[in-house]
Amino acid sequence: MIHSICCIGAGYVGGPTMAVIADRCPQIQVTVVDLNARRISAWNDDDLSRLPIYEPGLAEVVGRCRGRNLHFSTEVEGAIASADLVFLSVNTPTKTKGAGAGQASDLRWIETSARQVAANASGHTIVVEKSTLPVRTAETVKTILAAGPAGKSFAVLSNPEFLAEGTAITDLENPDRVLIGGEDASAIEALASIYGHWVPAERILRTNIWSSELSKLTANAFLAQRISSINSIAALCEATGADVIEVGRAIGTDSRLGSKFLKAGPGFGGSCFQKDILNLVYLCGHYGLHEVARYWQQVVELNAWQKHRIASKVVASLFGTVTGKRLAILGFAFKADTNDTREAPAITICRDLLEEGAQLAIYDPKVDGEQIRQALGVPPSAGAPAPSDDGLWQLAADPLTAASGADAIVILTEWKTFSSLDWSALSAVMRQPAWVFDARRIADAGAARAAGLKVWQVGLG
Ligand code: NAD
Ligand code: UGA
């Protein structure tokens, strides 16, 4: 019976997942710890609109549980010591240097947190891999735990998270499945009984630990593969007069294919798809499966090509040059309903346009200027932009301000508000001839054309 949970890592996964567990299991004390004191203090902010993560429904869940049985703290050691079960929910980004750089996962945070558990746990502790990890990482975690001080015992489980950002709370409250991998039957049942408070029994899958670790990488690889597949067909649609939405509908009605994840766009972003496929590629190489590695590598390459293709399309349409031209960028987050910009396609597309000398006016309903600065690696220009050959960017307060004096509007995130823009008002403040590049197929193209704008939409020939 689990009375006390500690989650190491108060990020996009740890925060929402623990909030939902606390909400559904009021008898369990849940403490989410993080080394990042700023992040923890934001989780503890009295003003729930200032939580460090924007997710629809998250503030309500946190508001119900925080201080009751949900706690956010920087006291990592103490929280581990009093926990029956510890989730490892730390970041596992792609390695940037050393062996496997650019492909393998950087496991230093997993190793550190496993060492913290080894040092501070008391009695018997169930340690759950919640982070996405290379298959066979549990072996490393077990070795580290076994090397800790005597008098403690551990069971290690894999329980990958399948939530998507923007729908994290509904995904957690109503998951397609919960996956638990492990060998220790009583630990598996203890974890299953937590989810059993709200997840139907038939949706709680039990596998061996390696299948569980590998299933998470595989799920992300298959999802990302669908996006690269539809984006490849989008390019062919544009060349042939077909419409990728019609093609997507036609193939998606085949129950063997299904209708989801068939939206063409500017390429997939987010912290996980690329890193998880690269990790899969690395693992395949490690096991000598070079053809398999090349097969998955192509999903990432097609995605990179799609991002550059869209930037090139903008430049080519604007008479082959955007130097000194103002372009309104609508949307910077990697998808709608999140403030996350990790690997957002907007980063590559904006960098390409800056490289071409464009003056970008960027608007996103949830992403602030500091985040954009960090993502682009360049500060915004101060004051009114002067004529210049160098690319520069500024934050815009709304779409109309962004469009003012612009030669084009480029829609990169599918925020709902971009589907009902006032195209007459926007066209009136733009420099003519003016374009709309809709990389998400969200704009009302008819209304934009009626307002005198030239319109390009992804996947429409
Ligand atoms: P994140 O970067 O938002 O959060 C990780 C947190 O862990 C950070 O705040 C960091 O400070 C903290 N941390 C690292 N080492 C620590 C330590 N030793 N002690 C205390 N805190 C520590 O990452 P995330 O997006 O929440 O992802 C976490 C894991 O979940 C990754 O493996 C990711 O692949 C996986 N995942 C992410 C998503 C998603 O939607 N973001 C979905 C499913 C799975
Ligand atoms: C994805 C998976 O969907 C989750 O199951 C998984 O848990 C998570 O990765 C993870 O491991 O981090 P997420 O990246 O948050 O979730 O969001 P998605 O909805 O999958 O979107 C990823 C990217 O693909 C976004 O840039 C989105 O715009 C793009 N996308 C998605 C498309 O271009 N077309 C689609 O049809 C769907």
Side-chain angles (χ1 to χ4, degrees):
M1 183 77 165
I2 305 297
H3 300 286
S4 174
I5 290 175
C6 166
C7 173
I8 307 182
Y12 283 85
V13 169
T17 308
M18 294 308 121
V20 169
I21 289 180
D23 196 29
R24 298 304 174 120
C25 308
Q27 73 288 5
I28 301 179
Q29 288 296 318
V30 181
T31 305
V32 193
V33 294
D34 205 295
L35 300 170
N36 181 336
R38 262 183 57 203
R39 209 167 205 185
I40 289 298
S41 95
W43 278 113
N44 283 322
D45 203 307
D46 288 338
D47 179 353
L48 288 167
S49 72
R50 293 213 296 249
L51 295 181
I53 285 163
Y54 172 71
E55 274 295 335
L58 174 65
E60 290 78 356
V61 179
V62 172
R64 277 199 294 275
C65 314
R66 204 178 51 188
R68 179 190 76 184
N69 66 328
L70 176 66
H71 315 278
F72 294 94
S73 164
T74 51
E75 299 293 317
V76 180
E77 286 83 5
I80 293 172
S82 52
D84 311 311
L85 184 148
V86 178
F87 283 103
L88 307 181
S89 188
V90 298
N91 35 321
T92 52
T94 304
K95 269 183 97 172
T96 54
K97 54 185 177 184
Q103 279 190 338
S105 288
D106 191 340
L107 296 180
R108 76 177 100 159
W109 293 276
I110 273 289
E111 179 174 339
T112 307
S113 54
R115 286 182 189 279
Q116 286 169 311
V117 176
N120 297 292
S122 55
H124 183 70
T125 309
I126 301 173
V127 179
V128 184
E129 298 175 342
K130 181 54 99 178
S131 299
T132 302
L133 296 166
V135 56
R136 297 205 75 84
T137 303
E139 210 159 67
T140 309
V141 173
K142 281 181 192 170
T143 307
I144 292 170
L145 294 173
K152 312 175 184 198
S153 61
F154 299 97
V156 177
L157 301 176
S158 160
N159 172 225
E161 184 48 62
F162 295 98
L163 68 80
E165 289 179 29
T167 52
I169 298 301
T170 51
D171 291 345
L172 287 162
E173 289 179 338
N174 188 22
D176 285 349
R177 80 317 211 168
V178 164
L179 179 57
I180 302 176
E183 285 123 34
D184 182 320
S186 77
I188 293 171
E189 293 322 308
L191 181 56
S193 75
I194 295 174
Y195 290 108
H197 280 91
W198 77 97
V199 179
E202 65 277 11
R203 287 200 220 158
I204 303 179
L205 310 184
R206 294 154 178 86
T207 65
N208 84 35
I209 199 154
W210 317 127
S211 304
S212 174
E213 288 179 335
L214 185 55
S215 297
K216 173 63 197 180
L217 293 183
T218 308
N220 275 359
F222 272 56
L223 289 168
Q225 180 196 40
R226 274 174 79 96
I227 302 169
S228 280
S229 297
I230 201 70
N231 283 341
S232 73
I233 297 302
L236 192 56
C237 287
E238 289 165 31
T240 56
D243 177 347
V244 77
I245 291 185
E246 293 180 354
V247 174
R249 196 167 63 229
I251 67 167
T253 46
D254 185 326
S255 60
R256 293 167 302 174
L257 291 173
S259 60
K260 293 181 180 161
F261 267 68
L262 286 175
K263 284 204 194 88
F268 57 77
S271 63
C272 293
F273 278 174
Q274 177 169 304
K275 101 170 151 64
D276 292 347
I277 298 177
L278 291 174
N279 187 207
L280 195 61
V281 168
Y282 179 76
L283 283 168
C284 292
H286 174 79
Y287 289 104
L289 301 168
H290 301 294
E291 288 73 13
V292 185
R294 275 200 297 280
Y295 174 77
W296 288 108
Q297 176 74 34
Q298 194 56 30
V299 172
V300 176
E301 283 174 20
L302 196 288
N303 195 52
W305 176 77
Q306 177 75 349
K307 294 185 268 187
H308 294 305
R309 184 173 87 82
I310 287 177
S312 303
K313 182 79 206 172
V314 173
V315 177
S317 305
L318 296 181
F319 313 114
T321 176
V322 293
T323 306
K325 289 179 181 169
R326 182 175 166 96
L327 307 178
I329 303 293
L330 299 192
F332 200 86
F334 81 96
K335 63 185 282 196
D337 290 326
T338 178
N339 60 346
D340 195 347
T341 59
R342 292 177 291 180
E343 303 294 337
I347 300 173
T348 306
I349 295 168
C350 288
R351 280 192 184 146
D352 282 3
L353 295 171
L354 290 172
E355 186 64 27
E356 294 283 344
Q359 304 194 342
L360 307 179
I362 305 176
Y363 166 74
D364 187 289
K366 290 287 174 196
V367 179
D368 62 33
E370 174 52 24
Q371 235 179 307
I372 297 174
R373 188 189 70 73
Q374 283 186 14
L376 292 178
V378 231
S381 75
S388 162
D389 285 356
D390 292 331
L392 53 85
W393 72 274
Q394 287 188 321
L395 190 68
D398 51 62
L400 196 64
T401 315
S404 190
D407 286 24
I409 290 175
V410 187
I411 300 177
L412 296 181
T413 311
E414 74 283 21
W415 286 104
K416 199 155 184 280
T417 99
F418 299 158
S419 61
S420 53
L421 291 167
D422 181 345
W423 288 109
S424 321
L426 291 165
S427 181
V429 298
M430 294 175 75
R431 185 170 83 153
Q432 302 299 329
W435 273 257
V436 178
F437 297 94
D438 177 9
R440 293 285 189 173
R441 292 297 292 268
I442 190 177
D444 181 345
R449 283 201 186 90
L453 296 164
K454 297 174 188 300
V455 180
W456 172 88
Q457 292 189 291
V458 70
L460 184 59

